[in-house]
Structure formats: C-alpha cells, structure tokens
Amino acid sequence: MKSITRYLTLNTSKRMELINITSQVRKAVEESQVKEGLCLVNAMHISASVFINDNESGLHYDFEKWLEKLAPHNPIEQYKHNDTGEDNADAHLKRQVMGREVVVAITSGKLDFGPWEQIYYGEFDGQRPKRVLIKILGE
Amino acid sequence: MKSITRYLTLNTSKRMELINITSQVRKAVEESQVKEGLCLVNAMHISASVFINDNESGLHYDFEKWLEKLAPHNPIEQYKHNDTGEDNADAHLKRQVMGREVVVAITSGKLDFGPWEQIYYGEFDGQRPKRVLIKILGE
Amino acid sequence: MKSITRYLTLNTSKRMELINITSQVRKAVEESQVKEGLCLVNAMHISASVFINDNESGLHYDFEKWLEKLAPHNPIEQYKHNDTGEDNADAHLKRQVMGREVVVAITSGKLDFGPWEQIYYGEFDGQRPKRVLIKILGE
C-alpha cells in the first residue's frame, strides 16, 4: 500500500471566494504513483469547504449569492456564535451546505473524473492563511 | 490490496428524479471479493448527487419539493450561469445540498449499513445519459 | 493492510442534539494501530448526521435554529412522509444539509486535523438508541 500526504495553504483576498485547486490535486496524484486508490481532499478549517462543481464564473457568482441568502453574514448579531467576538457564524453554516471534503477515485493513475468535474476550495471567512489536506491511499 | 471500478449509466425520464441504486452497488461489492474495505459511490456529473436516505416515496416527494424551494428552477434568468445558454444552474445548487458522493464501509464482505440505509442517485438535470462511479478498495 | 470497525450507540435526551464524538474516534484510531490511512465515520440512521465543525455552544444553538428554518418540524402535515405515521420528515432533510459521514486522514498514527476540527454526531430525531460506524483502513 502506498500513501502520501500534502498540504496546500490558501490566503484569499476576499471574505468569500471559490478557488480551483484541481491542478494541485493532480500533481499530488502523480507524485503518489498510486494507480488504483482513493484521494481525500478536505478543508482543515471549519469555515471553509472543498467541493466539486463547474469551472464557470457565472455559476460561482450564483453560488455566493445563494449561500448569502441561505445563511446571511449580516446582521452579525443574529448568531449566538458571534457573541464570542467572532463575526463568522455564517461561514460555519455555509461550509455545511457546500461540504468539508471530497473523496475521488484514482483509476489507472489518474483522478477518475466525469467531463466537467473540478475541485474547488470554498472560502467563507478568508483573508488569512488556511490549509487544505490531500491524502492518497492505494497501490 | 484489491480494487474494482464500475460505472453505471442512468437516463431519467424526468428533469428531477431519485433512483435507488443499492442493488447495483451490492453487486459490485460481491464482484470485488473485498471483505474489509471502503466503497466510494459518486455522481460523475455536477448537476447530480449520490446520497443515502430512505426508500419511501412520500419522502422523495418531500425532497423534491424542498429542493425546489431552496433552489428554484424558475425564473431561469435569476441565475448568471444560465446566461451561458444553460437552464440548469438550480441543478448545480441542488446537488450541493444533497452531496456528490457517499463512502460506505464494507465489513465481512457486505455494505455495513444501518436498518434503513439505501443508496440513491439524485438527478436534477436529467433526460440524458449520465454516469455514476463505484470504486471499491480493501482486501 | 489493517482495518478495524467500531460501533457507537447514542441515545439523546432531546429530539435535536449535537454530540462531540471526537474522543471515541481517537480511541478507535489508537486501537487500529494504523499509521497512514483513512477513517470513515458515518451515521447508520437516516435522520442523523456525522459532521466536522466547531466545539462552541453558541454555534450549536445557531445550527439548530438555522436547520429549523431551512426544514421546519412543524406543521408535520406539510410533509408527505409524515402521512406514513412518522413525524420525522424534517429530520431526513436536516441530515442532508449536515451530511451523513466524514472521511478523515490518519497521518503518523493520528487524526490529521486542523486546529479547530471536532467530529460531531447530529441527531435530528432522537430519544432512542442509534448507531454510528467507525471504519479505519490503512497500514
């Protein structure tokens, strides 16, 4: 059995931002030399997501607008969590809608993807460095 | 270590439809001869889901109605993604609520399930062939 | 390859409740003696979740209030599923928002966690015994 572990660090310029990390994950798969296996990619912070969806900027705009409707940032006083001095309760909620992680199959040494699948980091409380973990297991 | 990869193709008659794929996954587990392992099942398209929930038609009706409320299909102009000529932005959002994938334990050669767990394919932009991936790893 | 399987049984005093199960999962990782691997933790019931988020009681209050807004329990007649005699359709919906499972990397014999990650059991139809599965695979 082979395994490798990689960490990415992301620091967004905006509070909410969606970043395509597919090429970094592909690189880790190549380095692992795993031919048949599983690749876990997860946010290591609890106000961020890793998810798979479309590489289309209009859809990213739609996602951000929709998440803001489902779990609005303002007024920050609507959340008990923000009584602790934080202002990111909404980010913890948004992350649950989008998910913490993806698990992707590796087949014949490659991410076994459908035609449009791209891996995204979803930041909902950004402007500071945060980490993503890539763990690959297989042989 | 053993591994197998299987692909299912689904073509729904309706735009939104939930289809029980548990028996197909069980068949793959048997074929794999894996006794202890993990089974990943994921949608390969980004406007569809794989999830685990109840085999009860009333609940499926509730899911569809609820998803339509959280992320309505109409008016299609409300989504920037649909400016590209698509009309399926809502399907990309619905898929995030329901999830892309499930990972199921295999114990003593079987899906290690609770009493009511059933694996569903959730289609939100159907009426064309789409694929589901089953990847099994273990020994 | 090593693997172990553990089952937890939880019986909440309230209908909706979030319970930190991180220490039980850590114990299973130690018992497994897996150094590099993957740890799946999932609810075995379809009106409950396993998810990773913050150990902060204000946020837990926010989660419960928010889930009640997204998928209200009352009036129970609003859901077709409840025509079967159940009153838990909302719990099936809430579980989809929060997710069924988490997959966590094991690195150097430990859960490879960011600074705030904690594993929670989310109960949405409690007051009876329900099970959580922990499956660890690696070497």
Side-chain angles (χ1 to χ4, degrees):
Chain A
M1 211 198 72
K2 284 177 184 143
S3 73
I4 74 157
T5 313
R6 292 287 181 273
Y7 306 95
L8 312 177
T9 300
L10 296 111
N11 194 341
T12 62
S13 58
K14 291 185 283 177
R15 194 169 56 80
M16 181 152 46
E17 204 168 320
L18 309 182
I19 298 172
N20 194 330
I21 57 171
T22 314
S23 63
Q24 289 99 311
V25 178
R26 285 223 164 88
K27 191 163 162 260
V29 173
E30 279 167 32
E31 288 171 9
S32 75
Q33 298 184 298
V34 165
K35 298 302 171 199
E36 298 296 318
L38 295 174
C39 174
L40 167 70
V41 190
N42 69 266
M44 299 185 78
H45 290 255
I46 53 188
S47 51
S49 288
V50 169
F51 66 95
I52 287 176
N53 219 301
D54 203 359
N55 182 13
E56 200 281 299
S57 62
L59 185 68
H60 301 168
Y61 175 90
D62 295 329
F63 269 130
E64 296 194 12
K65 188 177 144 193
W66 178 66
L67 289 167
E68 198 56 36
K69 200 180 77 176
L70 290 183
H73 182 65
N74 287 311
I76 63 169
E77 298 79 19
Q78 75 189 291
Y79 301 110
K80 267 209 174 172
H81 180 58
N82 292 341
D83 293 348
T84 63
E86 297 279 2
D87 69 350
N88 66 1
D90 65 300
H92 291 276
L93 274 46
K94 285 168 171 129
R95 116 70 165 252
Q96 289 306 130
V97 177
M98 299 303 278
R100 168 188 179 262
E101 79 220 8
V102 296
V103 178
V104 184
I106 298 171
T107 304
S108 307
K110 301 199 162 169
L111 292 174
D112 197 340
F113 263 170
W116 305 105
E117 290 189 282
Q118 296 280 311
I119 306 174
Y120 276 86
Y121 175 70
E123 176 62 82
F124 308 115
D125 181 33
Q127 301 174 313
R128 52 199 170 103
K130 289 189 175 177
R131 288 196 304 161
V132 164
L133 180 152
I134 304 169
K135 188 93 188 185
I136 294 168
L137 209 74
E139 69 174 17
Chain B
M1 212 196 72
K2 282 177 185 141
S3 73
I4 74 157
T5 313
R6 291 288 180 274
Y7 305 95
L8 311 178
T9 300
L10 296 110
N11 194 339
T12 62
S13 59
K14 291 185 284 178
R15 195 169 54 82
M16 180 151 47
E17 204 167 322
L18 310 181
I19 297 171
N20 194 329
I21 57 172
T22 314
S23 64
Q24 288 99 313
V25 178
R26 284 222 164 89
K27 190 164 163 257
V29 172
E30 278 166 34
E31 288 172 7
S32 75
Q33 298 183 297
V34 165
K35 297 303 171 199
E36 299 295 319
L38 294 174
C39 174
L40 166 71
V41 190
N42 69 266
M44 300 184 77
H45 291 255
I46 53 188
S47 50
S49 288
V50 170
F51 65 95
I52 287 176
N53 218 301
D54 203 358
N55 181 14
E56 200 280 300
S57 62
L59 185 67
H60 302 167
Y61 175 91
D62 295 330
F63 269 130
E64 296 193 12
K65 189 177 141 191
W66 177 67
L67 289 167
E68 198 56 37
K69 200 179 76 176
L70 290 183
H73 182 66
N74 288 313
I76 63 168
E77 298 78 19
Q78 75 189 293
Y79 300 109
K80 266 208 174 177
H81 180 58
N82 292 340
D83 293 348
T84 62
E86 297 278 2
D87 69 351
N88 66 2
D90 65 300
H92 291 276
L93 274 47
K94 285 168 172 128
R95 116 70 165 252
Q96 288 307 128
V97 176
M98 299 303 277
R100 168 187 178 263
E101 78 220 8
V102 295
V103 178
V104 184
I106 298 171
T107 304
S108 306
K110 299 199 165 170
L111 292 173
D112 196 341
F113 263 170
W116 306 104
E117 291 189 281
Q118 295 280 312
I119 306 174
Y120 276 87
Y121 175 70
E123 176 62 81
F124 308 116
D125 181 33
Q127 301 174 314
R128 52 201 171 103
K130 289 188 174 178
R131 287 195 305 160
V132 165
L133 180 151
I134 305 169
K135 187 94 187 185
I136 294 168
L137 209 73
E139 70 175 17
Chain C
M1 212 197 72
K2 283 177 183 140
S3 72
I4 74 157
T5 313
R6 293 286 180 275
Y7 306 94
L8 311 176
T9 300
L10 297 109
N11 194 340
T12 63
S13 58
K14 290 185 285 176
R15 195 169 55 81
M16 181 152 45
E17 204 167 322
L18 309 182
I19 298 171
N20 193 328
I21 57 171
T22 314
S23 63
Q24 289 99 311
V25 178
R26 283 221 165 89
K27 191 164 162 258
V29 173
E30 278 167 34
E31 288 172 8
S32 75
Q33 299 184 298
V34 165
K35 297 303 171 200
E36 300 294 319
L38 295 175
C39 174
L40 166 71
V41 190
N42 69 267
M44 299 185 78
H45 291 256
I46 52 188
S47 52
S49 289
V50 169
F51 66 95
I52 287 177
N53 218 301
D54 204 358
N55 181 14
E56 201 280 298
S57 62
L59 184 67
H60 301 169
Y61 175 91
D62 295 330
F63 269 130
E64 295 193 13
K65 190 178 142 191
W66 176 67
L67 289 167
E68 199 54 39
K69 200 180 78 176
L70 290 183
H73 182 65
N74 286 312
I76 62 168
E77 297 78 20
Q78 75 190 290
Y79 301 109
K80 265 208 177 176
H81 179 57
N82 292 341
D83 292 349
T84 63
E86 296 279 0
D87 69 350
N88 66 2
D90 65 300
H92 291 276
L93 274 46
K94 286 168 172 130
R95 117 68 167 255
Q96 288 307 127
V97 176
M98 299 303 277
R100 169 187 178 262
E101 78 220 8
V102 295
V103 178
V104 184
I106 298 171
T107 305
S108 306
K110 298 196 167 176
L111 292 174
D112 197 340
F113 262 171
W116 306 104
E117 290 189 281
Q118 296 280 313
I119 306 175
Y120 276 86
Y121 175 70
E123 175 62 80
F124 308 115
D125 181 33
Q127 301 175 313
R128 53 200 169 102
K130 288 189 176 178
R131 288 196 304 160
V132 164
L133 180 152
I134 304 169
K135 187 93 188 186
I136 295 167
L137 209 74
E139 69 174 17

